[in-house]
Amino acid sequence: ERLCRCYKHTARNCGTAFHAVVPALLPQVTSWYEERPQSCFLYVCNVCFTQYGGSVSALAPTFAESFGRMATATFRVLSASPSALLDSPDIVDDFFELCGKVRATRAHVDRAFNTGIICPETSMDTARTHLHPPVGEGNPRRGRRTVSW
């Protein structure tokens, strides 16, 4: 965790000079996260993405690969037991913060969304349509809606 804190502060304070470290740092941090899932590794990726994800498209493949691998590892951790979400609040918080930033600037890491982990085109309307088909002839719940969005 101390090493991650060092990386985090260095990334924030060195500006573009730290850019050269990111292509080697993110795969390493991602490997550490896959071996031992701790939220500090997600946070380092989050800080790097915040600092360099929106402005340097040359890093898009690195960010996409790291995000995809971290998402896979996170889903493995969170599906390990029924109480995993409650047992890992830091991982949940840091992962969803990272997802929000990636989603907001997805043009730079578009490949990450082609992994099947996150589908950016799914909206609440699409989800509602799949979960609750429109009321009509083919719907047995015709005439009533049980969920409103």
Side-chain angles (χ1 to χ4, degrees):
E1 194 165 326
R2 289 180 184 167
L3 179 61
C4 288
R5 200 172 319 154
C6 177
Y7 284 138
K8 172 184 76 172
H9 289 294
T10 305
R12 285 183 177 157
N13 294 313
C14 287
T16 57
F18 195 75
H19 169 267
V21 176
V22 174
L25 176 66
L26 282 182
Q28 182 62 54
V29 169
T30 302
S31 293
W32 291 335
Y33 182 73
E34 289 171 327
E35 292 171 17
R36 188 173 175 154
Q38 294 182 357
S39 65
C40 59
F41 301 127
L42 287 167
Y43 196 73
V44 168
C45 185
N46 196 341
V47 169
C48 287
F49 187 81
T50 300
Q51 296 296 317
Y52 309 105
S55 62
V56 183
S57 61
L59 291 174
T62 303
F63 283 118
E65 180 185 346
S66 290
F67 177 74
R69 288 173 53 198
M70 285 185 155
T72 301
T74 300
F75 293 141
R76 188 175 346 156
V77 168
L78 297 180
S79 63
S81 73
S83 64
L85 283 169
L86 298 174
D87 296 340
S88 309
D90 294 340
I91 288 176
V92 171
D93 184 50
D94 287 337
F95 179 69
F96 280 100
E97 183 177 345
L98 178 61
C99 286
K101 289 181 182 176
V102 169
R103 176 67 174 100
T105 59
R106 94 170 219 272
H108 297 287
V109 290
D110 206 36
R111 195 170 68 100
F113 293 96
N114 293 328
T115 63
I117 294 169
I118 292 181
C119 180
E121 304 308 321
T122 300
S123 65
M124 290 304 285
D125 289 333
T126 305
R128 180 181 58 220
T129 301
H130 290 293
L131 294 174
H132 300 284
V135 176
E137 294 291 321
N139 186 348
R141 295 186 323 224
R142 195 166 121 201
R144 62 173 211 217
R145 287 221 182 250
T146 56
V147 176
S148 63
W149 299 92

